[in-house]
Amino acid sequence: MSGGDMSDIVITGVGQVPVREHWDVSLRQLAARAILAAIHDAGEQKPQALYISNVLGSLLSRQANLGALLTCDCGMGGIEGTTIEAAGASGGAALRTAYLALRSGQVDCAMVVGVEKITDVVGPGVDKAIAETLDTDYEGMLGVTPTAMAALLMQRYMHEYECGHASFADHPLAASIHAVGNPNALYRKALSREEYEKSRPVCDPLNLHDIAAYADGAAALILTRSELVSKDFKSIPVRVSGSAVVTDRLSLHDRPDPLAFNAAGISISQACRQAGILPGDVDILELDDAFSIYPVLSVEAAGYAKRGEGTTWMKATVASGKPALASMGGMKARGNPLAAAGVYQAVEAVLQLRGEAGDCQVKGAKKALIQCLGSASATAAAHVLEITQKS
Amino acid sequence: MEIPRHWRLKQQRYALVGEVCPHCDAKIFPPRDVCPECGGEAREAYNFSGKGEVYSFTRMGEGPAGFEEQAPYTVALVKLAEGPVVTAQLTDLGDTKVEIGMPVEMVTRRIRQDGDERGMIVYGYKFRPVMQG
């Protein structure tokens, strides 16, 4: 779809809670805090529809029908509200749904909230719940988890391209350094290369620092069409110039080439084509780094690097800062609240484009590309966000 | 666990029964009634030999709920001789160092047990190194 004479879809409000182990905060409270923060940020603009990204509510909080629960809790009772689920891509998929609703003209102001309450359950119970994002009959029931899937990919990658574990260090290290300046990040300590390489083996070849920790979080966005932005709006609207969701075969064992993250690559090319840019044109590139192998396979799929050269590209790109990777810590250091992760990406990109990213600010950032993945690129959501000139 | 759900899959779990596509002869596992190669309808049962080789593998230090007691264990993507790849645990490894390309064969083993001694025991396929001799 080309831009043509269509109005722009813009983000006018963002809200987030720090990613933490929020023992004292429930699913509904997490969501409400992010929702109210976004409404306030948007100048008290109220949405007509709420799109909720959530995976684990039914499994870990025994709570379904979040649409009715959260709209009512937040004083928006009666409006449209539904849950969007696509594993780790849920946040991007919910943003896509809001985008389509606004494009359709049926909704003039939409809200996206990504929320995940994980820490009520610990250890094996969380792993089991998250494993339900795999094929339960042919993967999950055999004791396999998404962490194991990432390990299978990394093992195969290291075999095919004859590289060692250390070559995956650059994205996690950059993420950890960037998170130091992000008050909403879970881990605000810069990792050293030695700490990365010597961290505890979890699921070989994955070590502790190849894995983003799951934690509680909620993040929210308010979106509208550009012509509806109030003259009194004090902030800078951020345009959603490209939006795509693509799926692949759910299981690695069903893919002819598991190292080809096709959905990741296609969604980036679709979102960029819609925005009229090339993937290399962005100032900020926020990839799904739930596991350190993911961003490597994603940049190869998207054409940033040739097959087998993703780790080399990563090293050079971290050094140049163009584009800036994981500019506020990525999932690795901000933390991974599964369905909320993609919404955090959008919130962080908006802050960067507005120039409100504080110690994490990427100077002069004008375009951002964000991508989140459901399982190992079984679902991929990509969005291009751009700064608009304040009218 | 849901008994019908496992009962439905007994042919796959116990005997690695998949499908063969009548249009393009592709061998299909897991069965899904639609050929992943050509998109045609494929409902004809096909018995896989159970022979294959390791495409990739990992040793899981911790298992999800239901598998805690088995950990650590090794899971693999096994490329079957007939073409498809299957996700499964490796078993009977002893001192064998697992490597990509290692020949393996299907065996039936206990996959997991539901709760205490009254719980359902799920049996199914695992793969072991090919026996010598």
Side-chain angles (χ1 to χ4, degrees), chain A residues 76 133 146 229 234 247 324 365:
Chain A
M76 304 186 291
T133 60
V229 176
K234 290 189 171 60
T247 57

Side-chain angles (χ1 to χ4, degrees), chain A residues 211-338:
Chain A
I211 303 167
Y214 297 111
D216 303 330
L221 307 165
I222 296 241
L223 299 98
T224 187
R225 289 190 297 280
S226 53
E227 74 271 19
L228 301 174
V229 176
S230 160
K231 294 263 185 304
D232 302 327
F233 183 62
K234 290 189 171 60
S235 189
I236 306 167
V238 168
R239 189 158 68 98
V240 182
S241 57
S243 171
V245 173
V246 175
T247 57
D248 196 349
R249 295 173 182 179
L250 177 59
S251 303
L252 293 182
H253 62 230
D254 272 344
R255 300 187 201 163
D257 180 2
L259 296 181
F261 263 25
N262 288 329
I266 294 166
S267 64
I268 284 179
S269 74
Q270 283 184 356
C272 287
R273 194 180 318 129
Q274 187 191 346
I277 64 167
L278 294 170
D281 293 341
V282 298
D283 306 299
I284 288 171
L285 177 61
E286 199 68 31
L287 297 163
D288 189 310
D289 60 337
F291 305 99
S292 61
I293 181 71
Y294 280 12
V296 172
L297 296 179
S298 297
V299 296
E300 292 182 11
Y304 287 102
K306 289 182 188 160
R307 292 289 297 271
E309 296 179 8
T311 56
T312 310
W313 183 89
M314 210 64 85
K315 184 183 272 300
T317 306
V318 167
S320 73
K322 291 175 185 164
L325 299 166
S327 73
M328 299 188 77
M331 298 179 192
K332 171 63 196 152
R334 178 232 298 122
N336 184 8
L338 198 60

